[in-house]
Amino acid sequence: MRRRVVITGLGPVSSIGIGAENFADALQQGSSGISPIASFDAGGFPHRMAGEVPAFEPKDILQVLDPEQWGRTSLFAAAAARLAAQDSGIDPAELARSRAGSSIGTTSGESQVIEQLTAQWIDGGLKDLDPALVRQTPASRLATAVNRELGLTGDAITLSTACSASNYALGYAYAAIATHEADYMLAGGADSVCRWAHAGFYRLGALTEHICTPFDRDRSGILTGEGGAALFLESLESAERRGARIYAEVLGYGLNCDANHMVAPDAVSIAECMRRAHRKAGIDASQVDYICAHGTGTPANDAMETRAVMDVFGETPPPISSIKSMLGHTMGAASGFGAIASALGIARQFIPPTINFTTPDPQMPGIDPVPNVARPARLRVVQNNGFAFGGNNAITILGEVA
């Protein structure tokens, strides 16, 4: 028999707050984590804002890993997992001796490390590459860092399906527990702000200058962001047995890949992914109370996402907001932060806002973006959207535990 799977711990390391309580408060306040870029010299770029995490001090969170031996993205993943495990209230010894593992999504892996090595290569050739940095480059180290930090002996899976990667990772963890292959899983994603991603999105014409305005008529693009997002998953029976606080239940997920275009989203494929997620979760579209949007703030993404939503939900869809307006686009961590926001919305009974919203788009009638102010709401079922370049779509469905 498949087991019911619940979320009992949350570990956000974000530009608007570190830890579940700080992150939840910031969401409810509609805080912005956007600031001038400090990770690299952005002086040559016309656009110089991002959602960085300047308050991140790995030594304040990590108990096992030596930060000097790991790249920033791995440290984000491990710190988020440590916070999620602590938030779950699980006995660390119990976790270490159980069938427990991790699945972590990413877009760029250890992007800052690779940029440092690239600079060394250009300056002095391959002979000048720092071996310590070379050891930090494999993206697989993200999940390895989680397992080493928490003493886990199960799966350590890093999934690189770009901006939907955390939803893929959450689906993987859900399936592992539901089918009795694991007892506990840490799932989520991590990425770091880096020069090449900033430059790439600028050259694509997808980068905005100052603020991200999803679903607004005058939206003009994304702002890059960073951080680590982790959720602690276990079976409902396990959570009840140990008296754990339950944020939400993972009802199911849907995946597809249309491979229709390198960067452009496809509304037909996205709509089918939504329907697939609903079928897997055993729900009907009418039961969804809120959609945590992919909502990048680009003209193309928001229009396609809206078209798919209207196709699936009809002319009066549930409220749909984008936390990227606050965080920026955290790439592989994006749908992980979306899942955390969804779980907090269910537990605290509120809908996060889309901040920076000023003008409705007449091309997207019927959309309620929850403009600027969080809204009290009883959320029984939430849909968390995640889409990525190449048509990699992943949607998770969370619900209130009945």
Side-chain angles (χ1 to χ4, degrees):
M1 292 181 60
R2 293 179 68 87
R3 297 190 292 186
R4 294 173 66 183
V5 179
V6 295
I7 298 165
T8 56
L10 302 174
V13 178
S14 81
S15 60
I16 62 170
I18 296 174
E21 291 299 314
N22 290 335
F23 187 75
D25 290 344
L27 288 177
Q28 290 186 285
Q29 294 163 10
S31 301
S32 173
I34 304 305
S35 59
I37 292 172
S39 296
F40 60 88
D41 181 3
F45 290 97
H47 300 170
R48 303 168 190 171
M49 305 295 282
E52 295 179 317
V53 191
F56 179 51
E57 292 291 344
K59 292 180 180 179
D60 292 343
I61 301 172
L62 300 175
Q63 299 177 17
V64 175
L65 298 185
D66 177 359
E68 298 300 320
Q69 297 181 16
W70 299 82
R72 184 172 176 85
T73 308
S74 293
L75 294 173
F76 275 141
R82 171 60 73 182
L83 291 174
Q86 290 175 339
D87 189 49
S88 76
I90 188 74
D91 177 5
E94 163 67 16
L95 182 61
R97 64 174 172 259
S98 300
R99 296 183 305 163
S102 65
S103 54
I104 303 298
T106 192
T107 294
S108 305
E110 289 296 0
S111 49
Q112 292 190 5
V113 173
I114 292 171
E115 288 189 346
Q116 291 179 62
L117 287 170
T118 302
Q120 291 177 359
W121 190 351
I122 291 172
D123 290 342
L126 287 172
K127 62 180 174 57
D128 283 354
L129 297 188
D130 181 350
L133 285 178
V134 172
R135 286 194 293 271
Q136 294 177 14
T137 57
S140 60
R141 283 171 61 89
L142 273 63
T144 299
V146 171
N147 279 30
R148 289 193 184 179
E149 173 64 23
L150 297 176
L152 311 182
T153 57
D155 288 351
I157 303 296
T158 302
L159 300 170
S160 56
T161 46
C163 302
S164 58
S166 283
N167 264 353
Y168 275 86
L170 184 56
Y172 183 98
Y174 160 82
I177 293 172
T179 59
H180 299 261
E181 293 181 13
D183 294 321
Y184 306 106
M185 288 290 291
L186 278 299
D191 264 303
S192 301
V193 165
C194 61
R195 185 192 308 272
W196 74 263
H198 187 82
F201 280 103
Y202 176 75
R203 291 298 297 271
L204 280 172
L207 197 68
T208 193
E209 186 172 2
H210 296 297
I211 58 173
C212 179
T213 60
F215 302 110
D216 192 275
R217 181 196 65 187
D218 301 318
R219 64 193 184 277
S220 57
I222 75 164
L223 290 171
T224 57
E226 66 178 6
L231 302 94
F232 189 90
L233 276 62
E234 61 187 297
S235 70
L236 176 60
E237 294 86 351
S238 169
E240 290 178 336
R241 184 171 60 250
R242 65 185 191 87
R245 170 191 50 203
I246 298 174
Y247 286 100
E249 180 175 1
V250 183
L251 300 178
Y253 64 98
L255 310 175
N256 67 7
C257 180
D258 55 74
N260 181 61
H261 193 277
M262 284 290 289
V263 298
D266 182 88
V268 173
S269 178
I270 290 170
E272 173 52 33
C273 191
M274 292 181 189
R275 294 188 176 97
R276 184 171 298 183
H278 295 169
R279 289 194 300 270
K280 295 287 187 180
I283 65 163
D284 183 81
S286 63
Q287 294 175 263
V288 176
D289 298 310
Y290 162 60
I291 301 170
C292 189
H294 189 59
T296 62
T298 65
N301 175 90
D302 293 3
M304 291 302 101
E305 189 166 9
T306 296
R307 187 181 303 174
V309 165
M310 302 296 277
D311 183 21
V312 173
F313 291 90
E315 295 185 358
T316 54
I320 175 171
S321 69
S322 173
I323 63 172
K324 289 183 179 68
S325 59
M326 295 179 252
L327 299 172
H329 194 333
T330 55
M331 307 298 159
S335 51
F337 284 123
I340 291 174
S342 299
L344 287 168
I346 291 170
R348 286 198 177 195
Q349 300 189 9
F350 78 99
I351 300 176
T354 303
I355 67 169
N356 308 319
F357 188 87
T358 58
T359 309
D361 188 337
Q363 301 300 314
M364 299 189 294
I367 288 294
D368 173 10
V370 194
N372 301 312
V373 180
R375 182 181 303 167
R378 173 77 179 278
L379 301 181
R380 296 176 179 85
V381 178
V382 174
Q383 174 177 311
N384 178 39
N385 289 350
F387 315 130
F389 284 174
N392 282 294
N393 306 314
I395 294 171
T396 50
I397 307 293
L398 306 186
E400 183 182 61
V401 174

